[in-house]
Amino acid sequence: MWALIGGIASVLSILGWLGLNNVGELKDLLADSPPSSSSPAPYTSSPSDRIPDDSDTGEGSTDESGPEPSTPAPDPTEEAFEAISAGDCLAVYDTGRGGTTSVDWSVGAPPDPVSCAGEQAQVQVTAINTACPTGYGKSYWSYRSATTGDSTKLCLTRVYHANYCILGRQSGDSISLALMTAVACRREPVPVPYNQIMHITGVYRAPAGADANNCRRAAGDQTRYWAALVDDGATLLCTTIYQGS
């Protein structure tokens, strides 16, 4: 009993110290008090937690876009090769400076086509970008562009004209004809390993079993001829060692 009376007295003493008249006013005071420092603080975003905007992702902004890819410079040689069609004739020939193992074409890129019926025509394009046929008087000309990496290949057949000259390589009585070459008909040094200038005396439709004996131009003709069957054996090419000055 005395303990209860003492507790009531303590409460009344606290109320008096706080300036409150009863317990109800104490409850109201506690309800209006701010939370203590041990209460969790409400969440506020830090600068690192902000929602990224367009400037973070680059969307909607052109300031950070990279440069547009540049267009490769044109390759004139590639364009010249691509302008050629099967059936075209060209004033192009082997100079002979590549010897017997390679072809050294007279120009670096195909020139404009010429008439196949004219004497300027030295080769005819038979096919493009395919496996080229082989044989006497046949070759090919290819080019790979360092700009695009693409390759173009021209299959070529030699066109022969009487009274023109080609190169030859003589060993004893035998002469090997350089059938893709062309050379001026005059006595002058020729590229190694060739040692003769051969004069074309005639270009004929080849008869059966044709050989150099079919090159005689008249009865009793004692000229020494060297001949070749070209165009897959359809044409007889007759030559002699050039004797002009």
Side-chain angles (χ1 to χ4, degrees):
M1 175 64 75
W2 290 110
L4 177 61
I5 292 173
I8 294 172
S10 298
V11 171
L12 292 175
S13 176
I14 293 171
L15 291 174
W17 180 76
L18 294 172
L20 303 175
N21 296 322
N22 53 47
V23 176
E25 290 181 354
L26 176 62
K27 292 171 65 178
D28 293 339
L29 176 63
L30 295 173
D32 294 336
S33 299
S36 68
S37 60
S38 62
S39 300
Y43 174 79
T44 58
S45 61
S46 66
S48 61
D49 295 325
R50 63 185 176 84
I51 299 173
D53 56 19
D54 288 345
S55 65
D56 297 311
T57 63
E59 295 179 359
S61 173
T62 60
D63 293 338
E64 298 180 4
S65 61
E68 295 183 1
S70 59
T71 302
D75 184 340
T77 301
E78 180 181 43
E79 292 175 352
F81 270 84
E82 292 178 343
I84 301 302
S85 302
D88 286 347
C89 286
L90 306 173
V92 173
Y93 55 89
D94 178 13
T95 67
R97 288 192 291 267
T100 59
T101 58
S102 63
V103 175
D104 177 65
W105 296 110
S106 55
V107 291
D112 292 337
V114 297
S115 171
C116 292
E119 292 190 351
Q120 284 186 307
Q122 299 296 316
V123 294
Q124 183 171 30
V125 180
T126 58
I128 297 174
N129 293 335
T130 188
C132 296
T134 59
Y136 293 128
K138 295 182 180 182
S139 189
Y140 65 89
W141 190 9
S142 61
Y143 175 76
R144 185 179 185 275
S145 171
T147 301
T148 66
D150 295 334
S151 296
T152 307
K153 185 178 184 181
L154 308 179
C155 301
L156 305 175
T157 295
R158 184 72 161 84
V159 178
Y160 300 99
H161 305 283
N163 298 318
Y164 277 51
C165 288
I166 62 175
L167 293 171
R169 183 181 183 186
Q170 184 172 13
S171 178
D173 286 338
S174 175
I175 296 180
S176 298
L177 302 177
L179 294 170
M180 296 302 295
T181 65
V183 65
C185 293
R186 58 176 179 261
R187 299 309 303 181
E188 61 180 21
V190 296
V192 176
Y194 304 106
N195 53 17
Q196 290 293 358
I197 294 174
M198 307 301 294
H199 183 229
I200 299 174
T201 60
V203 183
Y204 309 109
R205 184 187 300 274
D211 59 23
N213 291 323
N214 297 101
C215 293
R216 294 191 177 97
R217 291 169 283 181
D221 184 357
Q222 299 299 311
T223 304
R224 179 72 186 271
Y225 294 97
W226 286 265
L229 291 172
V230 296
D231 298 332
D232 299 321
T235 301
L236 176 65
L237 179 70
C238 296
T239 71
T240 62
I241 296 175
Y242 181 69
Q243 302 295 334
S245 58

